[in-house]
Amino acid sequence: MAMPDLLAHALLAYAICTVLSVRYDWLTPAYVTAGMAGAFIPDVMKIVLIVPDAAMEAILGVPFSWSGIHTAGGALVAVLIGAAVVVPAERRRIGALLGVGAASHLLADALLLTPSGYSYGVLWPALRVHPPTPGLYLSTQPGPTVVAGAAALLAWGYVRRGWLR
Amino acid sequence: MLRSPRARLLAVLVLLCALFGLVVWHGTLEPAPEAGSFPGTEELAADYDAYLGERVTVGGRVVETDPVVVTAEYGVDESIRLTVVGLDPSVAVKEGATLRVFGVVKPDRTIRSSNAFTVPTSGLWYTWTVSALAGLWTLARIVRRFRLDREQWGLVPRERSVSLRAIVRRGRGTSGGDGDA
């Protein structure tokens, strides 16, 4: 499964979280950064390129699929781990932002073009279904990154520099 | 709830076990075409004939263009050669490109394509380079905007961000005092 490059994901998370900071005073650039970090969570599954599923199964003797991380369930557990890694007072905010970042990644990937017209088990394990995808782009196309970059730039300009206000 | 470093460490370990459980569970999932989850290379490699007439999604590097043959990878460094027929003429098949196909399994390791597209090889390099840049950018932001609270064993947002240069200087032990007021 290919996916929009991680820069597109990070820029998208940056844009979303920066815009959210208009609504939430406490959402400083540090918290925006937490949102960006969350956007990387689902792609932890890319470890599969170094240690394939079959290799893990051979070593561990159990079924194994790294792409389980690239689902709502896997991302949720990973977000909870991230929340446990920050000091307790910051847990809820950082956890929420990691979740926003991870969710934006999963959603953006669900719009990728696939040969079958269906995406992946984005809502697993809650739902088994692979929803149909509008097939908007390929991960290897620069288009999504350019759009995400423009959104990030506009968000930065509006929120941090007061453009258009 | 769960405030002490030890309790949090335990929570992380429990969560890692949960993550492991999810990943193992995900490994047991069988294809479910009615749910939009189609069999792929791995299933074909295990028992090709069981999928005759079924729709599958495969992808592989183009090694021949007339007829179109791809090497589809699975497992650990294993691959099968599949012939792809019925491609739409608009699909630009070039040797070395990655072809992704959704189609029907035919005898003799042949897939009749319903829908397919190519991904140029350079596209994959682009994705990797740009993704690495994104990682570095985010890492730099984390280092500049968070600090490690040694008492609570956790990351804390800084009051004010620190420049990368200051962090490097601090790491080399050449700067005195605490930079993040």
Side-chain angles (χ1 to χ4, degrees), chain B residues 5 19-20 24 27 29 39 42 47 62 72 82-83 95 100-101 110 117 119 133-134 139 143 154 158 167-168 174 178:
Chain B
L19 196 57
F20 179 75
V24 170
L29 293 177
E42 209 175 303
D47 188 354
V62 177
L82 294 168
T83 306
E95 228 171 284
R100 295 178 60 200
V101 185
T110 301
F117 56 85
V119 179
L133 282 174
L139 192 59
V143 164
R158 292 181 198 262
I167 291 170
V168 169
T174 56
D178 186 8

Side-chain angles (χ1 to χ4, degrees), chain A:
Chain A
M1 171 178 46
M3 39 212 80
D5 63 73
L6 282 168
L7 182 58
H9 284 302
L11 287 166
L12 179 63
Y14 175 90
I16 292 172
C17 295
T18 299
V19 168
L20 281 173
S21 74
V22 173
R23 168 77 176 78
Y24 300 100
D25 285 338
W26 53 264
L27 223 167
T28 61
Y31 294 98
V32 171
T33 306
M36 293 167 69
F40 285 83
I41 286 176
D43 269 4
V44 168
M45 74 145 282
K46 289 291 184 82
I47 297 177
V48 73
L49 298 169
I50 304 170
V51 190
D53 291 345
M56 292 298 289
E57 291 179 351
I59 296 168
L60 298 168
V62 291
F64 201 93
S65 170
W66 286 110
S67 55
I69 295 173
H70 201 288
T71 62
L76 175 62
V77 175
V79 165
L80 290 175
I81 292 175
V85 161
V86 295
V87 296
E90 297 292 339
R91 190 181 292 164
R92 285 178 72 194
R93 290 176 174 178
I94 298 290
L97 281 144
L98 288 173
V100 166
S104 73
H105 181 132
L106 292 174
L107 183 59
D109 276 359
L111 305 178
L112 277 163
L113 177 68
T114 66
S116 65
Y118 293 90
S119 62
Y120 64 99
V122 51
L123 292 172
W124 185 83
L127 290 175
R128 176 79 175 80
V129 71
H130 290 203
T133 169
L136 298 181
Y137 40 68
L138 282 175
S139 74
T140 48
Q141 289 169 338
T145 310
V146 171
V147 171
L153 182 63
L154 286 173
W156 173 81
Y158 178 77
V159 177
R160 305 274 178 237
R161 287 288 182 273
W163 295 356
L164 305 176
R165 281 206 257 185

